[in-house]
Amino acid sequence: MNNRFGLTGKGVGIGYLDTGIFPHIDFGSRILCFRDFLYGGRRPYDDNGHGTHTAGIAAGSGAGSSGACRGVAPESLIISLKVLDRRGNGQKRDVLRAMEWILENSGRYGIRIINISVGTTEQNPELHAALIAGVERLWDAGLHVVTAAGNMGPDPGSVTAPGSSRKVITVGSSDMLVDRQAVSGRGPTRECVCKPDLVTPGFEILSCAPGGDARRYTRKSGTSMSTPVISGAIALALEKRPGLSNVEIKMALRDSAGDLGYPHNLQGWGEFRLDRFLERIV
């Protein structure tokens, strides 16, 4: 996704809590740090592919596709925190350890944005509360936390944690709200917060994949794919105005979204519009 402002997200660090990352050609030398909270691996790897895919949507340069698969912020920096296994499953303790690590190391690696394309249902109150508390600590520390609404729709109250936090920016999929693809999580949350905050396409998104000659791409669908679009856009905004707070960014997202005509608990403020968003960053 290109933008007419000539911004690249250069120098803005995005932390990804996911399945890891494969050193795809599109990432070049921009993987600043990799931490494996499951097995202690020291070199970047992704035994699932989900983390590589989401990072490509936000930060891929398109080098392996002649620019066709260029991400939103192709020069942003990548900090990959592996908290999910090869099946995409994880444990609360690993996610919380990763969040604590971010609080301790965000300054060292220039992390401004946290992309969390994972979530869990609210059926376990203890787990739900711990995840909400974790992301809200990141938010209160001044980090821009972007989370997926989850793929548990279409029933009301299907936004997953930690996307159900009232503070963070929660993203649904605009092309997965109705009809056969109506899986994008929708509110209200258990605390009666109307989520998601906004939506953007997430169906059959082409992005980076592990393996081969480091030039592979694949298509994946879900709110996980919508979330890094917003993370990348925030990187562009912070390149333009580094001092913007997470609340200011959130309000700019609200004011630039386009109404799709759906109820608020489906679309939030509406569909994300990159140009309109960046025009508000002055």
Side-chain angles (χ1 to χ4, degrees):
M1 182 184 293
N2 298 319
N3 69 82
R4 61 183 174 84
F5 295 85
L7 300 174
T8 61
K10 186 175 182 179
V12 178
I14 306 177
Y16 301 85
L17 275 67
D18 219 300
T19 62
I21 193 164
F22 177 77
H24 196 280
I25 189 173
D26 279 17
F27 302 138
S29 60
R30 291 179 293 115
I31 302 176
L32 282 194
C33 181
F34 172 75
R35 291 294 298 249
D36 182 357
F37 289 89
L38 274 67
Y39 313 116
R42 297 188 177 184
R43 294 185 178 181
Y45 76 99
D46 185 356
D47 50 3
N48 176 280
H50 189 275
T52 301
H53 197 272
T54 57
I57 293 169
S61 69
S65 62
S66 299
C69 294
R70 188 172 183 260
V72 181
E75 293 185 31
S76 57
L77 305 177
I78 299 166
I79 299 88
S80 174
L81 309 178
K82 182 175 175 60
V83 296
L84 302 179
D85 62 21
R86 63 186 179 88
R87 294 185 176 87
N89 298 323
Q91 299 293 323
K92 176 186 72 174
R93 65 175 183 274
D94 297 320
V95 175
L96 295 178
R97 284 172 57 214
M99 290 180 180
E100 189 65 33
W101 184 92
I102 291 169
L103 288 171
E104 295 172 358
N105 293 278
S106 59
R108 178 181 180 184
Y109 294 105
I111 304 172
R112 300 291 309 279
I113 304 157
I114 312 300
N115 188 91
I116 307 179
S117 286
V118 299
T120 183
T121 62
E122 297 187 12
Q123 293 178 350
N124 184 327
E126 180 185 356
L127 174 59
H128 169 76
L131 291 173
I132 296 298
V135 293
E136 292 188 350
R137 284 189 66 199
L138 296 175
W139 183 269
D140 292 343
L143 294 163
H144 301 257
V145 184
V146 188
T147 64
N151 305 324
M152 304 300 290
D155 291 339
S158 54
V159 173
T160 56
S164 48
S165 161
R166 70 175 60 247
K167 292 186 177 183
V168 303
I169 299 163
T170 306
V171 187
S173 294
S174 57
D175 49 2
M176 303 180 76
L177 294 176
V178 296
D179 301 325
R180 290 181 298 174
Q181 302 297 334
V183 300
S184 186
R186 60 198 64 190
T189 69
R190 186 168 54 186
E191 291 79 19
C192 293
V193 179
C194 202
K195 289 280 184 170
D197 294 305
L198 75 169
V199 294
T200 196
F203 183 69
E204 289 289 301
I205 305 299
L206 185 64
S207 185
C208 303
D213 62 355
R215 295 174 182 267
R216 289 188 63 233
Y217 300 89
T218 191
R219 294 187 183 275
K220 291 182 182 291
S221 299
T223 60
S224 289
M225 286 62 249
S226 302
T227 305
V229 173
I230 306 303
S231 294
I234 294 172
L236 298 180
L238 293 177
E239 178 186 346
K240 193 175 180 182
R241 289 261 327 265
L244 285 173
S245 72
N246 49 22
V247 173
E248 289 172 318
I249 288 286
K250 191 173 183 180
M251 293 304 96
L253 289 168
R254 179 196 66 186
D255 295 341
S256 59
D259 185 9
L260 295 174
Y262 296 128
H264 193 87
N265 74 311
L266 270 71
Q267 68 165 19
W269 305 312
E271 187 170 44
F272 175 63
R273 301 285 192 268
L274 180 61
D275 278 9
R276 285 168 57 171
F277 170 64
L278 291 179
E279 284 168 354
R280 282 163 171 75
I281 309 300
V282 295

